Amino acid sequence: MKFLLLILTSLFTVGVSAEVYKCTDAGGNKVYRSSPCSEGYKNIQIDLTTGKTVDLDEEKKLQILKAQKEQEELEHKQLEEQQENLRKLQIINESKKNQLLIKENPNKFSAFAIPPYELEKLTPLVKRYEGRLAEIERLRGIAAQKALASGQCNRVESSELNERSTKDLLVFLVDCTNTKSFYFDQNQLAKQ
């Protein structure tokens, strides 16, 4: 103990450093140094002015874990962004299919029969089901075609998500020029 105090005191008084490193090997042998321990030693930093000790090996592990967590969070965020971009692309594609259907069949659909739902301007009803917007856009087109196929609808004026929708069952309302209206739920439309 006296030897340790002598080493510590001499290092402090010479002004080499206010820090000392206690290096412990696998056999429990301790060596005190003025620089960090080499690989394979347990590395404890001692602040001579405050007496505070820091386990540098543990600190290094914590830094590695923190860096890994930050990397995982970054990857998770990137994955979420990719999924959101894919979802938006699916919505756009389904809307384009509906617009193409209208363009190719102007005598069966009014120009605004299936206007695209815009993410920034969703009605409260559609906003409730925002996560299923690509599916909603697809089913709106199918509902309009099913109404026409019934032979009772001469021309589609609108095909919209309806208030009768629930979390488990989407319902669509198709209004026709001849004042005929049709309600279809997603199960009926899935058969198409």
Side-chain angles (χ1 to χ4, degrees):
M1 183 67 177
K2 288 182 181 181
F3 179 68
L4 173 63
L5 287 173
L6 180 63
I7 291 174
L8 295 175
T9 306
S10 65
L11 286 173
F12 183 69
T13 55
V14 175
V16 173
S17 174
E19 297 172 341
V20 172
Y21 299 88
K22 179 171 80 171
C23 306
T24 309
D25 65 14
N29 301 316
K30 296 177 180 106
V31 177
Y32 293 88
R33 305 175 41 161
S34 61
S35 60
C37 311
S38 30
E39 197 70 33
Y41 285 88
K42 182 165 177 59
N43 199 357
I44 304 288
Q45 179 184 30
I46 304 169
D47 186 327
L48 296 177
T49 56
T50 63
K52 181 182 173 188
T53 62
V54 176
D55 186 336
L56 296 178
D57 296 331
E58 194 61 35
E59 199 170 84
K60 186 177 179 181
K61 285 179 191 175
L62 290 174
Q63 288 174 348
I64 291 170
L65 287 173
K66 181 181 176 184
Q68 287 173 341
K69 184 178 179 183
E70 287 172 355
Q71 181 65 29
E72 288 172 3
E73 287 173 354
L74 177 65
E75 289 172 1
H76 181 72
K77 184 178 179 182
Q78 289 172 340
L79 180 61
E80 283 180 339
E81 287 173 0
Q82 289 173 350
Q83 289 173 336
E84 180 62 17
N85 289 338
L86 178 61
R87 186 179 80 85
K88 287 178 181 177
L89 185 61
Q90 289 171 335
I91 293 167
I92 290 168
N93 286 338
E94 291 300 334
S95 293
K96 283 182 179 180
K97 287 178 189 176
N98 288 339
Q99 297 312 302
L100 183 61
L101 180 68
I102 291 168
K103 185 178 179 181
E104 290 177 347
N105 301 286
N107 58 334
K108 294 182 179 180
F109 298 93
S110 74
F112 302 102
I114 315 171
Y117 289 142
E118 297 176 40
L119 283 171
E120 303 80 24
K121 299 176 184 176
L122 296 177
T123 63
L125 170 65
V126 179
K127 185 95 173 141
R128 271 187 261 158
Y129 307 102
E130 184 177 355
R132 300 175 67 183
L133 199 50
E135 178 185 12
I136 289 169
E137 289 288 34
R138 182 179 60 81
L139 292 173
R140 287 173 70 202
I142 294 172
Q145 292 176 71
K146 186 170 177 112
L148 286 170
S150 73
Q152 298 176 30
C153 180
N154 59 341
R155 186 171 193 237
V156 174
E157 288 298 321
S158 71
S159 179
E160 300 289 339
L161 184 65
N162 188 260
E163 286 288 340
R164 294 181 184 179
S165 296
T166 65
K167 184 181 106 182
D168 299 320
L169 190 68
L170 298 174
V171 177
F172 299 86
L173 170 63
V174 179
D175 286 321
C176 302
T177 306
N178 61 350
T179 68
K180 184 78 174 152
S181 295
F182 295 85
Y183 288 93
F184 299 110
D185 66 44
Q186 70 186 60
N187 294 334
Q188 293 169 312
L189 299 174
K191 298 173 186 174
Q192 293 290 335

